[in-house]
Amino acid sequence: MNFYNINNPTEKVSLKEAVLKSVTRVSDLYMPEYIPILSSEFFNRLNCTSLQKIAFNVSKAMFGQDIPDIALENIINKALNFEIPLRQLDKNLYVLELFHGPTLAFKDVGARFMAGLFGFFFRMKTVILPFL
């Protein structure tokens, strides 16, 4: 899947380029060209599926062409190794408490996953880092 720069939609890059450029160019934010549709079975089983497995299924749909399953699983298991409870606020209103990570900030969820992606691409021998 390709990703486009929201500041310059004609700029389309691979996942690896989007991850590495987002670290070096602060003003850039990349979005996927499309959002994959997950099966109804996926949604029907959410109540009995672990957070890590949900994250894997969503991530595989988005990044599966670019990252092997085992690497993606490892990234997710390291990034989401703390509780993220779902709290019911009202009859049909729920919220995820994203502040249970190591720094007690919601950013622990996304930043740790992003760090895992960066580490994966950094370890690949084909990575060229423009800032080194």
Side-chain angles (χ1 to χ4, degrees), residues 39-63:
S39 70
S40 57
E41 181 182 336
F42 168 80
F43 291 103
N44 292 337
R45 294 179 180 221
L46 283 178
N47 287 344
C48 60
T49 306
S50 72
L51 176 67
Q52 291 79 9
K53 189 66 175 170
I54 292 169
F56 175 77
N57 287 324
V58 172
S59 298
K60 182 170 175 54
M62 297 287 296
F63 312 129

Side-chain angles (χ1 to χ4, degrees), residues 19-44:
V19 168
L20 296 177
K21 285 182 177 186
S22 69
V23 173
T24 61
R25 293 170 27 190
V26 176
S27 65
D28 291 341
L29 176 64
Y30 293 89
M31 294 294 294
E33 285 186 305
Y34 65 93
I35 304 293
I37 297 173
L38 299 170
S39 70
S40 57
E41 181 182 336
F42 168 80
F43 291 103
N44 292 337

